[in-house]
């Protein structure tokens, strides 16, 4: 049996379903979904407000991402902005625009992804809007977070060390793999591994990798996962020491440049210190892409880039230091080159 379309179900019943799925009695939500506006009780000194939009054909391609993964990602990218300010995410408003022929099942899966991500971050849905479109899907989430103290992009001082969390370039590498696969992958089911095995072997062989050591699903899965269902980094562990912070959504070089511009500083970073995962290195080599280029310019990792005073013990990878004005990258043999975003346009 095929799923009914959203126009067959109707807007009111669709909102009713969402309301049922997301209704929870919470101390800080006086009025949730159902009235003209939500009523919430702020619980910290500062409210942080952010919004992010995802448009089909611009931000995502339904050949590669499932409705569930899309819902999950939409929440994660918004949470990442709240974390990058040193805040705690809490209240979400969700705006969805869909074609009237969209299967109701698509909305159902999308909302499951939204729900699972919100559970992960302890955030709650308090309202939103629905609309029809002529063509394509458009999603937007607005997130309200809280902070006793917030951290800006502009707070770095000369001599501060520059840090990044996790590893870089995984998401961009995952996208390259997805483009080769030309289909969506399930990241939830245990059987995903089996169905992916032959593809990975083929991919390895296709790019001249040694036949037996071709890519395994174990290598590809974390990369594809990082692209489809990124998890935002909670900065709690180092928040006391961070002087400036930004999340890496557009690539290390672009986001570091933004941090430097806001603080009117320079930066010196060392190629050798940039954290890359073993999986990304292996997959990139197999695909014939330079891992360092991916790490420097690949977007959508949603790791945090921050600075801290010299001498602090920080649980993240130190990749360089803030300078007065010079912006350079140092290679393995100690040679410096300008830290320019323009030099790395291979993947645009
Ligand atoms: P109005 O026409 O007054 O904007 P709506 O019919 O659009 O009201 O919405 C009714 C209620 O359902 C509101 O509380 C609104 O926040 C909520 N709502 C509408 N769309 C969504 C959505 N996509 N997700 C969550 N809540 C929604
Ligand atoms: Mg409305």
């Amino acid at each position: 049996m095929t799923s009914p379309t959203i126009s067959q179900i109707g807007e009111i019943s669709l909102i009713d379903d969402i309301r049922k799925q997301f209704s929870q009695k919470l101390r800080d939500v006086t009025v949730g979904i159902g009235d003209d506006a939500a009523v919430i009780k702020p619980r910290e000194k500062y409210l942080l407000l952010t919004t992010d939009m995802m448009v089909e054909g611009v931000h995502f391609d339904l050949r590669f991402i499932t409705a569930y993964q899309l819902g999950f990602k939409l929440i994660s990218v918004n949470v990442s902005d709240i974390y990058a300010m040193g805040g705690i995410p809490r209240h979400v408003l969700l705006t969805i625009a869909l074609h009237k022929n969209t299967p109701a099942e698509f909305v159902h899966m999308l909302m499951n992804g939204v729900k699972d991500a919100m559970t992960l971050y302890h955030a709650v849905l308090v309202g939103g809007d629905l609309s029809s479109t002529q063509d394509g899907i458009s999603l937007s989430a607005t997130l309200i977070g809280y902070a006793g103290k917030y951290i800006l992009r502009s707070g770095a001082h000369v001599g501060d060390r520059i840090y990044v969390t996790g590893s870089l370039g995984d998401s961009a590498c995952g996208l390259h793999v997805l483009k080769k696969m030309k289909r969506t992958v399930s990241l939830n089911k245990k059987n995903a591994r089996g169905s992916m095995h032959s593809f990975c072997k083929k991919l390895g062989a296709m790019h001249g990798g040694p036949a037996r050591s071709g890519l395994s699903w174990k290598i590809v899965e974390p990369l594809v996962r990082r692209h489809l269902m990124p998890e935002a980094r909670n900065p709690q562990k180092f928040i006391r020491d961070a002087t400036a912070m930004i999340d890496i959504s557009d690539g290390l070089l672009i986001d570091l440049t933004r941090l430097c511009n806001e603080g009117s500083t320079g930066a010196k970073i060392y190629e050798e210190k940039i954290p890359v995962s073993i999986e990304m290195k292996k997959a990139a080599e197999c695909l014939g892409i330079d891992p360092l280029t991916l790490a420097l310019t690949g977007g959508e990792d949603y790791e945090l880039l921050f600075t801290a005073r010299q001498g602090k013990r920080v649980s993240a990878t130190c990749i360089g230091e803030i300078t007065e004005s010079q912006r350079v990258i140092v290679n393995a043999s100690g040679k410096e080159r300008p830290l320019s975003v323009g030099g790395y346009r291979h993947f645009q």
Side-chain angles (χ1 to χ4, degrees):
M1 210 178 72
T2 54
S3 162
T5 64
I6 53 169
S7 71
Q8 285 166 324
I9 289 204
E11 182 187 342
I12 293 176
S13 116
L14 212 53
I15 293 179
D16 254 6
D17 288 345
I18 294 175
R19 186 176 180 177
K20 273 188 212 126
Q21 191 183 2
F22 288 87
S23 69
Q24 262 175 300
K25 284 234 168 323
L26 295 160
R27 255 193 308 164
D28 57 344
V29 183
T30 311
V31 178
I33 297 171
D35 218 305
D36 295 315
V39 182
I40 57 176
K41 283 190 193 143
R43 57 175 183 183
E44 285 258 26
K45 191 169 169 194
Y46 297 105
L47 279 182
L48 307 179
L49 303 147
T50 185
T51 192
D52 250 304
M53 192 172 181
M54 286 170 65
V55 177
E56 186 178 356
V58 179
H59 302 96
F60 62 89
D61 185 330
L62 289 175
R63 285 175 303 171
F64 309 140
I65 192 163
T66 66
Y68 175 88
Q69 292 158 355
L70 194 58
F72 191 98
K73 187 168 182 172
L74 178 68
I75 298 303
S76 279
V77 303
N78 276 279
V79 168
S80 182
D81 280 326
I82 296 289
Y83 278 164
M85 297 294 290
I88 292 166
R90 185 62 181 162
H91 302 111
V92 179
L93 293 163
L94 184 65
T95 300
I96 307 174
L98 300 160
H99 191 270
K100 63 183 178 14
N101 294 337
T102 307
E105 180 62 14
F106 183 93
V107 184
H108 182 71
M109 295 312 291
L110 179 82
M111 295 312 293
N112 280 348
V114 164
K115 182 157 193 174
D116 285 355
M118 292 207 318
T119 305
L120 178 70
Y121 303 117
H122 308 290
V124 293
L125 190 64
V126 296
D129 204 9
L130 277 176
S131 167
S132 62
T133 50
Q134 292 297 323
D135 195 20
I137 294 171
S138 166
L139 305 169
S140 162
T142 297
L143 182 50
I144 300 168
Y146 296 100
K149 181 192 138 210
Y150 53 85
I151 297 162
L152 301 177
R153 293 178 178 184
S154 61
H157 314 91
V158 175
D160 281 3
R161 295 304 184 237
I162 303 169
Y163 294 88
V164 291
T165 58
S167 55
L168 300 181
D170 289 12
S171 175
C173 191
L175 178 60
H176 276 280
V177 172
L178 285 165
K179 283 182 175 171
K180 294 262 179 218
M181 287 171 51
K182 298 190 185 73
R183 66 173 176 91
T184 58
V185 288
S186 162
L187 296 170
N188 292 322
K189 292 183 197 133
K190 290 204 181 83
N191 66 7
R193 186 191 162 133
S195 75
M196 289 307 303
H197 189 66
S198 60
F199 165 75
C200 292
K201 266 175 81 179
K202 224 166 53 193
L203 193 65
M206 204 154 67
H207 292 273
R212 259 172 302 154
S213 65
L215 287 175
S216 68
W217 180 234
K218 226 173 103 191
I219 290 173
V220 169
E221 196 266 358
L223 306 174
V224 167
R225 178 178 292 278
R226 183 79 82 86
H227 185 76
L228 297 172
M229 291 177 63
E231 288 186 21
R233 292 280 177 191
N234 189 328
Q236 289 312 312
K237 268 196 282 181
F238 47 78
I239 201 144
R240 277 201 346 218
D241 296 320
T243 50
M245 185 149 62
I246 185 169
D247 65 328
I248 305 180
S249 53
D250 293 328
L252 175 64
L253 295 188
I254 292 180
D255 291 316
L256 177 57
T257 299
R258 287 179 175 142
L259 190 135
C260 288
N261 287 348
E262 287 302 310
S264 306
T265 67
K268 184 176 194 171
I269 59 169
Y270 302 86
E271 260 178 29
E272 276 190 313
K273 294 186 176 179
I274 293 166
V276 293
S277 68
I278 293 168
E279 290 88 352
M280 195 277 267
K281 259 181 109 169
K282 281 193 175 160
E285 275 159 18
C286 202
L287 292 166
I289 308 164
D290 173 29
L292 183 68
T293 307
L294 285 179
L296 291 174
T297 64
E300 298 201 288
D301 277 320
Y302 299 105
E303 295 292 352
L304 292 171
L305 169 67
F306 64 97
T307 56
R309 289 278 161 99
Q310 186 186 0
K312 298 278 180 192
R313 288 175 119 249
V314 178
S315 61
T317 308
C318 180
I319 60 162
E321 62 264 346
I322 295 291
T323 63
E324 219 155 276
S325 61
Q326 215 195 8
R327 297 177 185 179
V328 292
I329 308 182
V330 184
N331 74 9
S333 30
K335 223 172 143 217
E336 292 183 2
R337 67 175 186 279
L339 189 159
S340 77
V341 179
Y344 283 91
R345 292 197 177 266
H346 314 280
F347 299 107
Q348 286 196 345

